Amino acid sequence: MIRLWHSLRSQAYVKDRESPSSCWAGDLAKTRRQHVHGCPSSPGVVESYVILKLDRDKQRQTYAESIDIKDVYKVASSHNMDKDCRKFRDPESGSFNVCFFVTFPSDGRKWVVRFPIGPVLHDPWQKIQSEIATLRYVKRNTTIPVPEVYGYGSGGSHNTNNPTGRPYLILEYIPGRPLDSGDLLTCSDDASRLFYSQLASILSQLRMQRFDYAGSLTADDEGELTVTSPHSIDLNSIQLYSGQQIKPCERHTSATDFACFSYQVLFNRLNQPVEMEEDDARHEVFALADYEKRLLNYVDSSSKHFVLTHGDLRPSNIIVGEDLTINAIIDWEWSCTVPRQFFIPPMWFAGNDVPLSIDDTYKLEYSKFHRALTDAAEDEPACRVLADEWSPDLSSSLDLYLPAALLRHDNFTEVYYKFLFPKYFKGVKRREKLREFYEEDGPSGIFSEAVRRKLEASQTYQQNFRDHC
């Protein structure tokens, strides 16, 4: 592990002979070697990153405005016998899509015409293809409520049916509203039980979908379902803004391969330039270094089967009725198959992206969910399986927070220091541990050098933002 971090400084790859997993060590070392060629502290690399990011942010803002609503009507009508349609609510722009809402007066149908925001996506058409394959698979193999697919197109050329020339996906409009995670803290007991019962069934059914590979679903040239290379929000960011290609970027055959690749993505994602103070950099470098060892020891290398997960199951992607009945789960664009160890419950039950370690609200809400899961297990075999795997005390277990740190990059440092550090270093003060860690490393050590590079990149990043804004 030390030699792998050393590659950040030396730009040389030396195989880690001390690692118990040569596959793990070799792949991670390759990633760091690839990463260092575009060293994050290099002024030229950071300036290119800033310019590209600012440019893409501007394009995101103008993307929705560039799509003529009349062209959207033509796209939608071409998939419904050329019937006239009109909008029934204003367009909405999210992080990765622009959505137009149309209705057909002659038959009452309501559709969502969704255009992926090309400037902020590495491969928009691949994302659409994966979502279509996943939605159709879920529709065919489960009772999970998902929107129907009514049409799609790859774009690339302007024609009568798609004058926008852009890739698109047409989905059934689901009535209701996005869940607010705060709803669970204020709703009635009956509404809470109903919601958690439905969610338990949904997650249990996903758990029962078994695959031989970890990756993303898509259809092959013959239209058959297959698992292909993984894609995720963080991998998209790396490929889009840093120009980095993590190899091997292909489907994975073992839990170790999955964890290795996911850590590569985490490592590269956290090494993109951001505004950062020295204390933050020291904490992040220590967390990454310690977490790598914990992850290696945690992964069940014998696991060869993978289960389906939504990939972005935030409250906003759960459409509910006024009584919190789940009408549909939407936005499956980042769905993937993962090892069972990395199939975990949502962390937003208490109204925050990450549970607050200072109170027991998340534990209480998780206990309500687990009770609903256990009750459903009496009649649903799938719920029985998940209830056995997700223990009543999972909300305070490493089996939740260690995978969560890997899967939620934006919250990695927060999850690590709230939940992992206290369990691994019981009774040890954080600052004392970090002081000891960097003293042992020395002022010119591998990890101290990594901190220095982060700070250099941060300074360059801030200066370039001031110069180009």
Side-chain angles (χ1 to χ4, degrees), residues 23-37:
C23 172
W24 187 281
D27 284 347
L28 287 178
K30 289 177 186 177
T31 297
R32 288 160 173 76
R33 181 179 57 181
Q34 292 163 3
H35 171 73
V36 82
H37 289 318

Side-chain angles (χ1 to χ4, degrees), residues 216-286:
S216 301
L217 301 188
T218 193
D220 61 21
D221 294 338
E222 284 72 43
E224 296 296 321
L225 186 78
T226 186
V227 179
T228 187
S229 59
H231 59 264
S232 69
I233 294 174
D234 292 293
L235 180 57
N236 177 77
S237 177
I238 292 170
Q239 294 173 325
L240 191 70
Y241 293 112
S242 301
Q244 297 175 9
Q245 290 283 354
I246 296 181
K247 297 181 180 180
C249 187
E250 55 191 24
R251 63 188 187 182
H252 309 302
T253 58
S254 72
T256 301
D257 289 342
F258 169 87
C260 173
F261 178 81
S262 298
Y263 183 83
Q264 292 174 13
V265 175
L266 170 66
F267 186 92
N268 281 271
R269 182 73 173 88
L270 293 185
N271 274 284
Q272 288 184 321
V274 294
E275 185 174 343
M276 177 176 283
E277 300 294 333
E278 181 177 3
D279 190 58
D280 296 328
R282 286 166 59 86
H283 276 76
E284 188 174 279
V285 167
F286 175 85

